[in-house]
Amino acid sequence: MTIKPIEVVRDIKGMFSHPDFPAWDDNAELKEMNDWFSMNNGSWYIDSFESNGPEDMVESWFDNGDSDCTNWQPICDKPGAFLLSIHDTEEGPVGLFFIPNLTADEVIIHGD
């Protein structure tokens, strides 16, 4: 089983969840999550809104209680990576990316 990228369609607050991505709750174990990524032949990367979002949006989110991150574009520069989720956490929104385990030939193709 390998999850595939899809078109990212965000909701009115900028959140998104890939339909094939498990809906883990706050009690999910890291082992369970890592096992899922391993079964899908990949790993993960998290981009943090607090660290990498536009400064004015971050200030508005944390200082004014704004809950709209539609203009934030999470980034992952790993070859073949694609977005699984944009969701809110106690530390603000995060973008969770799937990074497929690629062969050397696939890395060259994706790097072009």
Side-chain angles (χ1 to χ4, degrees), residues 94-108:
V94 296
L96 175 63
F97 289 85
F98 182 83
I99 305 167
N101 295 332
L102 302 175
T103 66
D105 290 338
E106 290 171 320
V107 170
I108 292 169

PDB file of all heavy atoms in Angstrom, residues 94-108:
ATOM      1  N   VAL A  94       0.122  23.266  11.529  1.00  0.00           N
ATOM      2  CA  VAL A  94       1.286  22.574  10.973  1.00  0.00           C
ATOM      3  C   VAL A  94       0.892  21.971   9.639  1.00  0.00           C
ATOM      4  O   VAL A  94      -0.271  21.635   9.412  1.00  0.00           O
ATOM      5  CB  VAL A  94       1.841  21.469  11.912  1.00  0.00           C
ATOM      6  CG1 VAL A  94       2.366  22.059  13.204  1.00  0.00           C
ATOM      7  CG2 VAL A  94       0.817  20.388  12.166  1.00  0.00           C
ATOM      8  N   GLY A  95       1.852  21.855   8.756  1.00  0.00           N
ATOM      9  CA  GLY A  95       1.679  21.142   7.501  1.00  0.00           C
ATOM     10  C   GLY A  95       2.437  19.833   7.606  1.00  0.00           C
ATOM     11  O   GLY A  95       3.635  19.827   7.877  1.00  0.00           O
ATOM     12  N   LEU A  96       1.728  18.728   7.446  1.00  0.00           N
ATOM     13  CA  LEU A  96       2.341  17.399   7.529  1.00  0.00           C
ATOM     14  C   LEU A  96       2.489  16.847   6.119  1.00  0.00           C
ATOM     15  O   LEU A  96       1.514  16.761   5.377  1.00  0.00           O
ATOM     16  CB  LEU A  96       1.478  16.464   8.380  1.00  0.00           C
ATOM     17  CG  LEU A  96       1.932  15.008   8.469  1.00  0.00           C
ATOM     18  CD1 LEU A  96       3.304  14.904   9.131  1.00  0.00           C
ATOM     19  CD2 LEU A  96       0.903  14.179   9.215  1.00  0.00           C
ATOM     20  N   PHE A  97       3.710  16.487   5.765  1.00  0.00           N
ATOM     21  CA  PHE A  97       4.025  15.992   4.427  1.00  0.00           C
ATOM     22  C   PHE A  97       4.410  14.525   4.458  1.00  0.00           C
ATOM     23  O   PHE A  97       5.037  14.047   5.409  1.00  0.00           O
ATOM     24  CB  PHE A  97       5.204  16.774   3.832  1.00  0.00           C
ATOM     25  CG  PHE A  97       4.868  18.184   3.468  1.00  0.00           C
ATOM     26  CD1 PHE A  97       4.921  19.184   4.421  1.00  0.00           C
ATOM     27  CD2 PHE A  97       4.497  18.508   2.172  1.00  0.00           C
ATOM     28  CE1 PHE A  97       4.614  20.498   4.086  1.00  0.00           C
ATOM     29  CE2 PHE A  97       4.187  19.812   1.827  1.00  0.00           C
ATOM     30  CZ  PHE A  97       4.243  20.809   2.796  1.00  0.00           C
ATOM     31  N   PHE A  98       4.044  13.816   3.393  1.00  0.00           N
ATOM     32  CA  PHE A  98       4.497  12.448   3.153  1.00  0.00           C
ATOM     33  C   PHE A  98       5.715  12.529   2.244  1.00  0.00           C
ATOM     34  O   PHE A  98       5.693  13.215   1.224  1.00  0.00           O
ATOM     35  CB  PHE A  98       3.405  11.620   2.470  1.00  0.00           C
ATOM     36  CG  PHE A  98       3.800  10.195   2.256  1.00  0.00           C
ATOM     37  CD1 PHE A  98       3.656   9.273   3.273  1.00  0.00           C
ATOM     38  CD2 PHE A  98       4.324   9.780   1.043  1.00  0.00           C
ATOM     39  CE1 PHE A  98       4.024   7.947   3.083  1.00  0.00           C
ATOM     40  CE2 PHE A  98       4.700   8.464   0.850  1.00  0.00           C
ATOM     41  CZ  PHE A  98       4.551   7.542   1.874  1.00  0.00           C
ATOM     42  N   ILE A  99       6.777  11.834   2.622  1.00  0.00           N
ATOM     43  CA  ILE A  99       7.997  11.784   1.812  1.00  0.00           C
ATOM     44  C   ILE A  99       8.199  10.336   1.367  1.00  0.00           C
ATOM     45  O   ILE A  99       8.529   9.467   2.176  1.00  0.00           O
ATOM     46  CB  ILE A  99       9.232  12.254   2.601  1.00  0.00           C
ATOM     47  CG1 ILE A  99       8.993  13.646   3.176  1.00  0.00           C
ATOM     48  CG2 ILE A  99      10.472  12.216   1.723  1.00  0.00           C
ATOM     49  CD1 ILE A  99      10.010  14.050   4.213  1.00  0.00           C
ATOM     50  N   PRO A 100       7.969  10.055   0.088  1.00  0.00           N
ATOM     51  CA  PRO A 100       8.128   8.670  -0.372  1.00  0.00           C
ATOM     52  C   PRO A 100       9.597   8.254  -0.376  1.00  0.00           C
ATOM     53  O   PRO A 100      10.488   9.072  -0.600  1.00  0.00           O
ATOM     54  CB  PRO A 100       7.562   8.697  -1.798  1.00  0.00           C
ATOM     55  CG  PRO A 100       7.637  10.117  -2.229  1.00  0.00           C
ATOM     56  CD  PRO A 100       7.549  10.954  -0.979  1.00  0.00           C
ATOM     57  N   ASN A 101       9.819   6.974  -0.098  1.00  0.00           N
ATOM     58  CA  ASN A 101      11.156   6.411  -0.229  1.00  0.00           C
ATOM     59  C   ASN A 101      11.390   6.182  -1.718  1.00  0.00           C
ATOM     60  O   ASN A 101      10.788   5.298  -2.311  1.00  0.00           O
ATOM     61  CB  ASN A 101      11.263   5.093   0.534  1.00  0.00           C
ATOM     62  CG  ASN A 101      11.103   5.279   2.017  1.00  0.00           C
ATOM     63  OD1 ASN A 101      11.400   6.327   2.567  1.00  0.00           O
ATOM     64  ND2 ASN A 101      10.605   4.256   2.683  1.00  0.00           N
ATOM     65  N   LEU A 102      12.237   6.995  -2.308  1.00  0.00           N
ATOM     66  CA  LEU A 102      12.466   6.932  -3.752  1.00  0.00           C
ATOM     67  C   LEU A 102      13.760   6.207  -4.067  1.00  0.00           C
ATOM     68  O   LEU A 102      14.713   6.248  -3.299  1.00  0.00           O
ATOM     69  CB  LEU A 102      12.539   8.351  -4.330  1.00  0.00           C
ATOM     70  CG  LEU A 102      11.323   9.241  -4.106  1.00  0.00           C
ATOM     71  CD1 LEU A 102      11.602  10.644  -4.620  1.00  0.00           C
ATOM     72  CD2 LEU A 102      10.102   8.654  -4.781  1.00  0.00           C
ATOM     73  N   THR A 103      13.800   5.587  -5.227  1.00  0.00           N
ATOM     74  CA  THR A 103      15.045   5.003  -5.718  1.00  0.00           C
ATOM     75  C   THR A 103      15.916   6.135  -6.264  1.00  0.00           C
ATOM     76  O   THR A 103      15.442   7.254  -6.478  1.00  0.00           O
ATOM     77  CB  THR A 103      14.771   3.996  -6.846  1.00  0.00           C
ATOM     78  OG1 THR A 103      14.239   4.709  -7.976  1.00  0.00           O
ATOM     79  CG2 THR A 103      13.807   2.904  -6.401  1.00  0.00           C
ATOM     80  N   ALA A 104      17.173   5.859  -6.513  1.00  0.00           N
ATOM     81  CA  ALA A 104      18.073   6.877  -7.057  1.00  0.00           C
ATOM     82  C   ALA A 104      17.551   7.413  -8.394  1.00  0.00           C
ATOM     83  O   ALA A 104      17.610   8.620  -8.647  1.00  0.00           O
ATOM     84  CB  ALA A 104      19.481   6.312  -7.234  1.00  0.00           C
ATOM     85  N   ASP A 105      17.011   6.545  -9.251  1.00  0.00           N
ATOM     86  CA  ASP A 105      16.468   6.989 -10.538  1.00  0.00           C
ATOM     87  C   ASP A 105      15.277   7.914 -10.340  1.00  0.00           C
ATOM     88  O   ASP A 105      15.128   8.906 -11.050  1.00  0.00           O
ATOM     89  CB  ASP A 105      16.041   5.798 -11.406  1.00  0.00           C
ATOM     90  CG  ASP A 105      17.227   5.000 -11.898  1.00  0.00           C
ATOM     91  OD1 ASP A 105      18.353   5.561 -11.935  1.00  0.00           O
ATOM     92  OD2 ASP A 105      17.037   3.822 -12.233  1.00  0.00           O
ATOM     93  N   GLU A 106      14.402   7.607  -9.386  1.00  0.00           N
ATOM     94  CA  GLU A 106      13.231   8.439  -9.130  1.00  0.00           C
ATOM     95  C   GLU A 106      13.637   9.809  -8.581  1.00  0.00           C
ATOM     96  O   GLU A 106      13.031  10.806  -8.918  1.00  0.00           O
ATOM     97  CB  GLU A 106      12.277   7.753  -8.143  1.00  0.00           C
ATOM     98  CG  GLU A 106      11.573   6.559  -8.719  1.00  0.00           C
ATOM     99  CD  GLU A 106      10.811   5.777  -7.677  1.00  0.00           C
ATOM    100  OE1 GLU A 106      11.322   5.600  -6.549  1.00  0.00           O
ATOM    101  OE2 GLU A 106       9.696   5.346  -7.994  1.00  0.00           O
ATOM    102  N   VAL A 107      14.672   9.868  -7.769  1.00  0.00           N
ATOM    103  CA  VAL A 107      15.146  11.139  -7.218  1.00  0.00           C
ATOM    104  C   VAL A 107      15.613  12.028  -8.349  1.00  0.00           C
ATOM    105  O   VAL A 107      15.309  13.215  -8.417  1.00  0.00           O
ATOM    106  CB  VAL A 107      16.261  10.940  -6.174  1.00  0.00           C
ATOM    107  CG1 VAL A 107      16.901  12.267  -5.793  1.00  0.00           C
ATOM    108  CG2 VAL A 107      15.710  10.238  -4.941  1.00  0.00           C
ATOM    109  N   ILE A 108      16.333  11.470  -9.310  1.00  0.00           N
ATOM    110  CA  ILE A 108      16.823  12.251 -10.461  1.00  0.00           C
ATOM    111  C   ILE A 108      15.631  12.752 -11.273  1.00  0.00           C
ATOM    112  O   ILE A 108      15.588  13.921 -11.645  1.00  0.00           O
ATOM    113  CB  ILE A 108      17.783  11.396 -11.318  1.00  0.00           C
ATOM    114  CG1 ILE A 108      19.070  11.127 -10.543  1.00  0.00           C
ATOM    115  CG2 ILE A 108      18.077  12.099 -12.650  1.00  0.00           C
ATOM    116  CD1 ILE A 108      19.970  10.105 -11.167  1.00  0.00           C
TER     117      ILE A 108
END
